[in-house]
Every structure is written in structure tokens, then in C-alpha cells.
């Protein structure tokens, strides 16, 4: 995503983090918003908008193989 | 490709990158090993096929993803290199150096809005979509079966999640007070040390942290109340199964009575045009390369927030690697070796980076005139943003300071808005290590009371 794409979307009326995300899809790529959200937040503030609280990153926070999720739960282990 | 025996020093291990045989040192990451071998471009970006390489050095950004041993999208900056590893670049057509798809970057200079492009005429939409899906390599499947063991549940009184050094301090305090303590840490525990600073410098704080952690490790060796799962990465918080994390070959879940978050802070890039070019590094990546004894470049430009930029510029020119450096936005009071460090006053700012496959030059401006500077490495000291991922999932209140930066909201006792969840260190906006240590002891005291309260009910 480029700076011009974000600026264009803000001009089209997507003036907070939540609706901008839905329009240009920032935060849905490989960084999952860890880096880009702060850029977009700054750009919104600079263009006189109220960014809002932003999104909650859903699990998994780090990428993981699906094979691991498919495993059953084994047993309980005390510390 | 075959990885037959090669003549190498005992501390060197062979690995491959796009058909080339290279040597790495034990303990370094794949991205570091590639940097040592002079390889700056590791892969290309999804949409515009821009060249990408080592950037954040912390697993946070999407720039160094590569295919490692048949598994796609591996973060090479946090993956240890192993003998015989086969690393392949991703998202490139024909070759990593010459990718015709990179022309898109020049054609769509103002960006590409997919709500308005490639939708007319409508009968061609399916053709467009198929082509676009082929272009982006993110959908590539693993060519190897991933070994995984059954998920295991682990119980404890206290769970400490963190890559921040304060995690270790509070784990010790809890275990010594007799609480069953589980510490989920990752291998980057000490990488957070430089984030803390008292006054101008972080160097003295960093050595204090290293000393503290060594002494805690010594004191708590085989302690019956402390269990550490190292090299773990937290996946998220779930209502039914508690907190889940991934370590080596399985997922663990824990539903403790008390959770302490010590997630630290993450660095974000400094904004200038082409900041994603290979050779442009976050402070974390630059520090890790220097610690591994890898030369950053011939002529390093340092930019970003002072005094961090001052400090790292000084480290670069006084280190064993004998770099030369240029510091943008320098304090007039910096005491430096003028032969090796060129200071440019505060009114000079980085405008853009230039280079086809890696940074070659930068353009700086002081508002009036512009200047071009030749460079092969740019170190950026970006803002530090508290990590709030797990806190948000647990439902903790996030507050925004006057600077608009989100942080985990805590009361004087370190408690978050959620009962039984505490937070400590840079994820709460606290960058003073001594204050974090004091908070660790306070929280441990308070927790004994909360546990007693839970038990009496």
C-alpha cells in the first residue's frame, strides 16, 4: 500500500482507522497491522481526522501452521 | 539443491539461497547470515514487487519473508540459520534481481485502487482476478508436512507473557514468593534492553539489565516454582482455553489465575519515500547486526529520534567494524571523531531513498535546498510504540496519551482494567528500567493478596 493510496482514500471520505481498513485493506497483509496502523494513524491526524481506537489484532498474533491448530489437546501438566 | 560437505571453519555452517551456496555463523538468523554474505534483497513485495530485505530485525514487519526448507512466508529475521537450510526468495517472476512485474511500481506511481481498477469490462473480471491471484505469492502452500505434537495445557498460579526484560524480574519475584509461575518468553528477551534508558544513554541501563537477568537466572536455576517456556510466541487469548502460545513443535494453552503482560514496545519506521528499500534498517536490526559482528555498510546514514540516533551513530563509528557514518539532525553537543562521523544539523531531513535493488543514495533537504548523499545503509530510529496485542484481546483498557500513542492502561499497582491482569514495562508506556523493577516488586506483593482473596472465597 502506498502513501498516495491512503491519502486518496481519506479524501474519498474514509476518515477513521476502522473504515479506512475496510476500504483499502491495510492491516490485513503480512504485518497484520503491527507496523502500518501507526503510519495510517499519523496520516489521519495530519489530515485533521480523528483516527479512533483502531482494531484489535485477532489471534493468531504471529503466523502459525494450520497443522498445529488441527492437533487435539493432550493432557494437563502442572508447572 | 544439494548441500554436500564444504571446506569451512568449524564455526561456519553451509546454507543455500536461491541456488547459491553460502556460509553462516552459528547462532545468527537467516537474515543476518544473508546480510553478512552481502545479500540485501531477500524477497519482493506482494503488490508492486518492490525489493525487500532485512528491515525491522524483530519479526514485526513483512519485509524479509522467504521460503525456508519448503515452508513459505518464514520471518527470516527471527529464524535461526541451520546447516543445509534451503532458503528461496518469494513473489518474484524470472529472477529476484530482474522482475518485470516490478514495472507495476512505475506504472502505478500514485498507487492502485482495486475498487476502481481491473473491474471493467465486467466479462474480463474473472480473467483479471485469476492473473492477480497468480501474481501474489502469499497463497503458496507448504511443500513439506509440518510436524506438530498434540496441544498441551499447562496450569499455574501466574502466567507472565513477555519479551521485555522486566518479565524476568517479575517472574523471579513471583516464584520466590511461592507462587507457581510460568514464564513464556522468546529468544529476544534481551533485545528489549536497549529500549530502556535512564537520561540520555541506554548503554548503562542495558548492562544493568544483562547483569540483573544473569543473577536472576543463577538464583532461580531449578527453582521448583518457576517454569520457563523459552523460544515461545504468544498466539492470542481465548475465552474458553485461556492464553495460547506456540513453542517449538506444539501449541500450549494456559488458564492461570493471574496474567502479567510484559510485552515491551515495538519500533515503527521513520516516514520518508522508499523507506522499504533493502539496506534501510531499524535500530533493532542494526544493533543485532553489530552484535553479530556484521558490517552494516561502507557509509552509514543515521536518522530519526535523538538521543537514540546520536547514540547509535557513535556506536557505529567507534565499533570494531570501522564504519563511517553521517548523522542527520545531530545535537551540536555530540562529542565525536570528526574523521569518521559527519554531523548534519537538525534542520536537515531525509526526503527519499534512491536505488534499484538496494539503497544507493538518499536525498536530504533543509527546507530550501536539496542534497544527494551516497550511502549503502540507512539506520532509522523510529518511534517506540507499546505492544498492546494481547492486552486488547484480553479486553484491557487501552489509553492514548497526548501523543496519540496507545498503551495498556494501568493503575498505581500495575493492574489493568481487567481483574487478574497486570502489565509492566514499555507496553504501559514506562521506559525507565528502575521504575519497571520497582513496579515488578509491587505487583508481586499485590498478587499474593489477590491469590489469598481468591482462595478464601
Amino acid at each position: 500500500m502506498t502513501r498516495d493510496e491512503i491519502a486518496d482514500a481519506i479524501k474519498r471520505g474514509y476518515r477513521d482507522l476502522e473504515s479506512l481498513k475496510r476500504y483499502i485493506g491495510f492491516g490485513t497483509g503480512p504485518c497484520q497491522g503491527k507496523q502500518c496502523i501507526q503510519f495510517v494513524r499519523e496520516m489521519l491526524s495530519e489530515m485533521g481526522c480523528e483516527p479512533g481506537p483502531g482494531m484489535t489484532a485477532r489471534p493468531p498474533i504471529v503466523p502459525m501452521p494450520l497443522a498445529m491448530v488441527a492437533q487435539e489437546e493432550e493432557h494437563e501438566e502442572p508447572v | 539443491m544439494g548441500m554436500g560437505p564444504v571446506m569451512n571453519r568449524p564455526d561456519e555452517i553451509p546454507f543455500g539461497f536461491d541456488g547459491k551456496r553460502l556460509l553462516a555463523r552459528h547462532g545468527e538468523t537467516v537474515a543476518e547470515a544473508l546480510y553478512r554474505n552481502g545479500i540485501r534483497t531477500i524477497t519482493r513485495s506482494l503488490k508492486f514487487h518492490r525489493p525487500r530485505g532485512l528491515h525491522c530485525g524483530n519479526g514485526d514487519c513483512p519485509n524479509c519473508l522467504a521460503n525456508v526448507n519448503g515452508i513459505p512466508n518464514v520471518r527470516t529475521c527471527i529464524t535461526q540459520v541451520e546447516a543445509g537450510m534451503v532458503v528461496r526468495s518469494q513473489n518474484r517472476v524470472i529472477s529476484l534481481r530482474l522482475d518485470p512485474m516490478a514495472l507495476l511500481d512505475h506504472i502505478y506511481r500514485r498507487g492502485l485502487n482495486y475498487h476502481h481498477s481491473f473491474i471493467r469490462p465486467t466479462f474480463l473480471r474473472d480473467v483479471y482476478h485469476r492473473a492477480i491471484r497468480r501474481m501474489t505469492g502469499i497463497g503458496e502452500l507448504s511443500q513439506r508436512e509440518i510436524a506438530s505434537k498434540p496441544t498441551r495445557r499447562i496450569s499455574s498460579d501466574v502466567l507472565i507473557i513477555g519479551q521485555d526484560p522486566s518479565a524476568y524480574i517479575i517472574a523471579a519475584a513471583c516464584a520466590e514468593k511461592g507462587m507457581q509461575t510460568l514464564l513464556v518468553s522468546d529468544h529476544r528477551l534481551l533485545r528489549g534492553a536497549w529500549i530502556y534508558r535512564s537520561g540520555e544513554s541506554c548503554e548503562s541501563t542495558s548492562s544493568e539489565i544483562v547483569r540483573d537477568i544473569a543473577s536472576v537466572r543463577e538464583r532461580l536455576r531449578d527453582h521448583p516454582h518457576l517454569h520457563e517456556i523459552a523460544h515461545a510466541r504468544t498466539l492470542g487469548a481465548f475465552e474458553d482455553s485461556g492464553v495460547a502460545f506456540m513453542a517449538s513443535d506444539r501449541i500450549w494453552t494456559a488458564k492461570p489465575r493471574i496474567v502479567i503482560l510484559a510485552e515491551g514496545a515495538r519500533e515503527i519506521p521513520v516516514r520518508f519515500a522508499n523507506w522499504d528499500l533493502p539496506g534501510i534498517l531499524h535500530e533493532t536490526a542494526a544493533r543485532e547486526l553489530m552484535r553479530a559482528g556484521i558490517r552494516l555498510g561502507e557509509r552509514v546514514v543515521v536518522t530519526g529520534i535523538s538521543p537514540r540516533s546520536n547514540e547509535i551513530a557513535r556506536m557505529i563509528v567507534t565499533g570494531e567494524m570501522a564504519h563511517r557514518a553521517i548523522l542527520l539532525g545531530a545535537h551540536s553537543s555530540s562529542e565525536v571523531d570528526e574523521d569518521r562521523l559527519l554531523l548534519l544539523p537538525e534542520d536537515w531531513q531525509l526526503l527519499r531513498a534512491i536505488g534499484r535493488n538496494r539503497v544507493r543514495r538518499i536525498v536530504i533537504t533543509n527546507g530550501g535546498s536539496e542534497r544527494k548523499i551516497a550511502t549503502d545503509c540507512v539506520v532509522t530510529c523510529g518511534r517506540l510504540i507499546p505492544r498492546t496485542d494481547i492486552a486488547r484481546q484480553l479486553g484491557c483498557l487501552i489509553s492514548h496519551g497526548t501523543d496519540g500513542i496507545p498503551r495498556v492502561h494501568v493503575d498505581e499497582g500495575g493492574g489493568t482494567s481487567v481483574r487478574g491482569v497486570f502489565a509492566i514495562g514499555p507496553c504501559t508506556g514506562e521506559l525507565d528500567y528502575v521504575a519497571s523493577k520497582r513496579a515488578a516488586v509491587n505487583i508481586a506483593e499485590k498478587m499474593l493478596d489477590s491469590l489469598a482473596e481468591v482462595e478464601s472465597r
Side-chain angles (χ1 to χ4, degrees), chain B residues 65-256:
Chain B
L65 303 188
N67 185 304
V68 176
N69 290 340
I71 299 171
N73 304 318
V74 173
R75 284 162 154 74
T76 57
C77 73
I78 52 168
T79 305
Q80 300 280 306
V81 68
E82 285 164 18
M85 234 177 202
V86 179
V87 183
R88 280 195 296 115
S89 55
Q90 296 187 153
N91 304 331
R92 79 273 186 273
V93 181
I94 301 179
S95 86
L96 185 58
R97 268 181 62 84
L98 278 172
D99 183 340
M101 295 301 291
L103 278 173
L104 280 175
D105 196 21
H106 299 277
I107 298 166
Y108 294 98
R109 276 201 172 276
R110 310 279 304 167
L112 201 166
N113 182 327
Y114 58 77
H115 295 287
H116 297 273
S117 317
F118 302 117
I119 51 169
R120 283 200 176 82
T122 43
F123 67 89
L124 279 180
R125 210 178 285 179
D126 280 354
V127 180
Y128 288 144
H129 281 189
R130 231 170 289 145
I132 291 166
R133 288 214 178 93
R134 274 181 67 114
M135 271 159 52
T136 57
I138 198 87
E140 195 186 336
L141 286 174
S142 174
Q143 294 131 22
R144 215 186 59 167
E145 198 166 321
I146 294 165
S148 173
K149 290 182 187 157
T151 297
R152 192 168 280 180
R153 174 172 276 277
I154 187 162
S155 59
S156 68
D157 293 329
V158 183
L159 166 68
I160 298 156
I161 303 170
Q163 57 173 10
D164 184 73
S166 61
Y168 233 88
I169 307 299
I170 195 154
C174 292
E176 284 178 337
K177 287 189 189 304
M179 290 175 262
Q180 294 293 343
T181 306
L182 175 62
L183 173 63
V184 176
S185 67
D186 70 19
H187 63 285
R188 297 171 295 156
L189 194 64
L190 278 171
R191 286 197 186 185
W194 68 265
I195 287 175
Y196 282 108
R197 48 197 59 244
S198 8
E200 289 282 288
S201 157
C202 80
E203 290 312 309
S204 55
T205 317
S206 290
S207 43
E208 183 183 344
I209 291 170
V210 172
R211 269 201 314 277
D212 282 356
I213 290 182
S215 101
V216 165
R217 277 222 162 100
E218 185 57 39
R219 219 166 67 217
L220 290 184
R221 183 170 296 165
D222 304 322
H223 195 285
H225 289 136
L226 180 68
H227 184 77
E228 183 185 2
I229 298 183
H231 299 277
R233 313 239 22 215
T234 309
L235 296 169
F238 302 84
E239 212 167 320
D240 50 348
S241 49
V243 178
F245 45 96
M246 173 169 67
S248 60
D249 49 3
R250 70 166 83 232
I251 293 176
W252 300 77
T253 61
K255 209 173 179 179

Side-chain angles (χ1 to χ4, degrees), chain A residues 5-64:
Chain A
E5 285 170 0
I6 302 167
D8 175 61
I10 296 173
K11 281 190 201 117
R12 282 173 191 269
Y14 302 92
R15 297 171 67 84
D16 63 278
L17 288 170
E18 194 67 51
S19 45
L20 255 181
K21 178 202 166 189
R22 276 149 216 263
Y23 186 68
I24 49 176
F26 84 84
T28 58
C31 93
Q32 288 287 294
K34 292 183 184 72
Q35 268 201 335
C36 57
I37 191 171
Q38 193 57 33
F39 267 20
V40 181
R41 183 178 278 128
E42 284 172 16
M43 280 191 71
L44 278 165
S45 306
E46 282 162 19
M47 290 175 79
C49 309
E50 179 55 55
M55 315 81 73
T56 299
R58 301 293 167 198
I61 291 167
V62 291
M64 61 178 295

